[in-house]
Amino acid sequence: MPRHLLASAVAAVVLVAGSLFLLWTPSPGAPAHGSASSSDEFEVAGDGTLPEKRPPLREQGAPLSTAERGYAIGLALASLPDSGRDVLDEARAEVLAADLPAVDLRDGRRRVQVTAYDYDDDRLHQILLDLPTGRVISEEALTGVQPPPSTAETQVALDLALTAMPAPAFVDQFRQLTGAPLLAADEVRVIGAAWAPEDGGGSSATRTCGTERCVQLLVALPSGQYLSTDDFVVNLSRRAVTLFPPGGHRHG
Amino acid sequence: MADPRHRSLLTAAACSVLLVCATLLSGTTTLAGPSRAAAAAPGASAEEPACGPALVTRTLSTGSAWRMCTRIHPFKGLVLEDVQFRSATGTGDDQGWLRVIGSLYLAQLNVPYDTGTDVFDDITGIGFGNDRLLTQTPETCDGDALPVEQSFMVGSKLVERTIPGICVREAETGLAWHSQEGWATTSDRYAQQGRALEVSSLSKAGWYEYQQKVTLTDQGTITVGLGAAGDLAPSEGFFRTDPAFGWPIGPNEDEDSDRHAGSHWHNAIYRVDFAIGSGDQQVEEWDYEGDPAFPTRVRGEGTIRDEAFIAEDPPATTWWRVVNPTALNADGHPRSYEIVNDAIQNPYLPLTRPPLSFTNDHPCQEYASSNLNAGCPGQSVLDYVASETKPLTEPVAWVSVGYHHIPRDEDQSPMPVHWQSFSLAPRDLLAQQALTPAERTCDNGLTTGAGGSCAAINVAAPAIAAGNSPPGAGTLLTADSGTWRRARELLAYEWLWLRDGEPILATGDDGLPSAATGETYRLTDADIGRQITVRVTASATGVTPGIATSAPFVAPLPTPPVTNPARTAPELKLKILKKGDRRGRPRLRIVVRGDQGGGAGVVTIQRRGKVVTAALSDGRVTVRLPRPGKRYRVTVSYPGDQWYLAATATIRVRR
């Protein structure tokens, strides 16, 4: 599938009337308690854009506020090469995480470690930021390290699997169980997992996973029943779905 | 032995509230005061963790307390930082907050299925935070569900939510401690139920759902557990025909069918960065060796491990502790935490086989395997140990906690939680256990095992008995000492009598005020209607004194006549009847009557200093009067009854 089609497909699925469609909605409808929001769904923060102005900063060991995290992500993305591409092929790296660094790296200050994946060159970037000054403390780039996939990456992987030819087994299994074809990603629930073959293992099609960004999917019906998804892996870097031969080992 | 310095402080504190301290202190009486924790010099207390809304501070109902920073990391899930403990009864340097852990989290959860075809790294491959974190509900958390603010990028948009995501609750731990040295009686029994703080979160990583739970007891022990629930892996792909790789689940079918739910391991590896006090810490290993010629003889030896290491196939008797040689408890012993890992380990993987590994604290060494930190990319604990070049002075423990899940029929949905855990147990963190009762404070070192209480503990309050009834001024009160736990030394008692809570002062033979002391006290007019109590102080050499106060004794005021607040004034009529008696003596009719009819009781008739009474009948009575030699006056008084007020009337009697 062309990249621009993927991007539009994900955007349509992900953002519905300003509210995020959950890839996995834990305990739908479960009443929240405590002082938190009554909803457990993610929603777009404000207009969704990243704050450019430094927000009020919390104590150095406090969890990041949404504004702090957004501000840090903006600083991190600005420090990366302009050639960066995310999983939607937009002109920025794919942000995978932004959180407090190890205690020793905080130096008593409000600092954030941002991890992002650049699909342009399949490199992982890790940027340590000092929020009070907005300064980049360190930036490292490397290949071969694959953190858990982001929401968008998981969604793209599912879209690729749905349109793959030949189709993975879960597509037909869905039809058998529901009596209807699986046409859209929002008819199932999915969790993505970073995937790489064991050392020295894998077929020629999957051997690049690890250096490239690959994802396996755990797909379930809305009822919670899991479908069989152990017969394929999605290479996001190549936008390719690789089917394992029957009885083949996914690892090693 | 009790610290005499503490004793004098106690005495001064208690006396400050008494008027007669000078008198009391001139003798040998020692009064008990505040708890010893408040009286002793405080030790250096750790600074409060700087984490704003993520700071959790809880004082358990048994008195010990914990505080720490809690948050949910996108990949690691529940993370605790700057964990501090405060004992309920520590004294001296053992008082206040003691920092024990720098950070603690699950650094990898490796889940290989026994078939060898499927392996999941639930932390570095899936993650426990972001949308994998589950909302706490009253069903999952009967304590406080703390809000967790989450946000991440979806495409170009920043999304967020705040959910109750961390559960904090106080839990019972069962019998916390027990000692009964008096064989034939329970009077020497010391026992208490324990409490613990539980901090937990729930995450969904596919069909499995995990509770990350850290249990922090009132004794300072930290148990780190991972509870697995959710559902068994789907039959498609994970149920096999070969019984070697699973267990038959569900109704019996063809032996060759794919009905064996796949067995698998939950290989959890935790990262524990110790922070016992400040300064360098050490790892000490203790090994034991038996004597073949003398099998019950076992010799132990401790060794400081000054280099990073992997505990490869250690003997079951070997154990380790992280010790700070410069952080001393109140007894002068270096504080330490022992790693208690009774879990099994997956022996087939080099990473998970060692129960324990130690490295220095390097910020880039975040995960136990498939490390996601760019500073040590893709590395594992094995690499960390191999690459360590510096002496082991900032120990980080990598604790391997395995669970081989062989599914059962009972593990079907919703799967009962199965647990794997390890503990960090304080070893000499404090000079005595964290909840040492006053009765055992002197049971330290060479006095261990001695019977009797270290403190005067009252079991039944003193009682006051009156010498006569009803009591009044002049009545002699006698007090007993009450009942006290058996102490290490024979207790002596002092009595102090109180009026309305204040010491009763009297003028002594020397003309000076002196307190009413002793077992007896004679009531005075000033005591009538007031609350009289007696305060008994029990003391002995080497025993922390105790105080007990009796229930109040009140000598009642004279009983006033029963009055009816609604009484009214009666009409008291006097009339000399026209016809006297047979002897010509005048007859006086007395009538007491009002809105309630005739008055009851008696009337008093006075004449020339003489008083007689006559009982009313239906409010009237007729009496004979003396024959008057000359006129005289008769006064009749009615004292009132429950309906009528008193009344008086006078009449003249003529010749």
Side-chain angles (χ1 to χ4, degrees), chain B residues 423-623:
Chain B
S423 293
L424 305 169
R427 177 170 285 278
D428 305 342
L429 184 71
L430 308 168
Q432 291 174 281
Q433 60 124 316
L435 303 174
T436 303
E439 295 97 311
R440 277 291 182 259
T441 51
C442 62
D443 201 8
N444 188 22
L446 296 178
T447 62
T448 295
S453 173
C454 308
I457 302 295
N458 182 257
V459 178
I464 297 174
N468 60 286
S469 180
T475 296
L476 186 66
L477 302 184
T478 303
D480 62 22
S481 61
T483 306
W484 299 74
R485 290 196 87 145
R486 186 173 69 81
R488 302 226 159 172
E489 302 290 338
L490 192 61
L491 292 173
Y493 305 102
E494 298 275 348
W495 288 261
L496 176 66
W497 293 86
L498 309 171
R499 181 191 301 127
D500 292 338
E502 296 294 331
I504 298 173
L505 296 178
T507 302
D509 296 338
D510 55 3
L512 296 174
S514 67
T517 58
E519 294 174 75
T520 59
Y521 173 69
R522 193 173 297 281
L523 290 175
T524 67
D525 288 338
D527 299 321
I528 305 305
R530 313 281 288 275
Q531 291 199 334
I532 305 300
T533 53
V534 65
R535 178 186 294 166
V536 175
T537 301
S539 61
T541 301
V543 174
T544 303
I547 289 176
T549 302
S550 71
F553 176 92
V554 179
L557 294 166
T559 305
V562 176
T563 58
N564 183 342
R567 289 189 306 166
T568 58
E571 188 177 15
L572 175 57
K573 290 183 177 178
L574 304 179
K575 183 179 181 182
I576 303 296
L577 300 179
K578 290 180 179 178
K579 192 174 182 180
D581 68 0
R582 286 180 298 172
R583 294 167 61 181
R585 289 178 294 189
R587 292 193 300 165
L588 174 63
R589 174 176 293 169
I590 303 169
V591 178
V592 179
R593 184 166 294 277
D595 54 6
Q596 297 293 325
V602 298
V603 291
T604 303
I605 302 119
Q606 296 184 56
R607 180 187 65 84
R608 292 177 178 171
K610 292 185 178 179
V611 179
V612 295
T613 60
L616 294 169
S617 173
D618 192 23
R620 64 173 56 198
V621 64
T622 300
V623 297

Side-chain angles (χ1 to χ4, degrees), chain B residues 23-184:
Chain B
T23 303
L24 296 177
L25 289 176
S26 64
T28 57
T29 305
T30 303
L31 294 177
S35 70
R36 65 199 182 96
S45 194
E47 287 186 16
E48 183 178 81
C51 53
L55 177 64
V56 169
T57 304
R58 291 288 188 281
T59 299
L60 300 167
S61 58
T62 48
S64 292
W66 289 93
R67 68 183 182 187
M68 69 207 77
C69 299
T70 61
R71 63 191 171 92
I72 300 294
H73 184 274
F75 303 151
K76 302 163 189 167
L78 184 65
V79 174
L80 303 188
E81 291 179 348
D82 204 348
V83 180
Q84 301 179 7
F85 177 65
R86 188 186 65 203
S87 75
T89 57
T91 60
D93 288 342
D94 291 348
Q95 285 188 78
W97 292 103
L98 301 174
R99 192 162 184 253
V100 294
I101 299 293
S103 68
L104 166 64
Y105 61 83
L106 178 58
Q108 186 57 284
L109 179 57
N110 170 256
V111 184
Y113 279 73
D114 286 8
T115 54
T117 58
D118 294 280
V119 181
F120 299 91
D121 282 337
D122 285 353
I123 294 296
T124 58
I126 296 176
F128 272 19
N130 290 349
D131 58 353
R132 269 77 72 198
L133 180 71
L134 298 180
T135 301
Q136 297 286 343
T137 69
E139 290 74 31
T140 62
C141 178
D142 61 1
D144 297 328
L146 307 183
V148 173
E149 185 177 346
Q150 297 179 290
S151 53
F152 54 83
M153 296 293 289
V154 179
S156 62
K157 301 292 185 183
L158 183 65
V159 301
E160 65 175 347
R161 73 173 179 182
T162 300
I163 60 169
I166 296 176
C167 179
V168 177
R169 66 188 292 269
E170 183 171 338
E172 297 176 354
T173 59
L175 188 61
W177 37 263
H178 186 278
S179 171
Q180 182 176 330
E181 296 303 332
W183 292 100

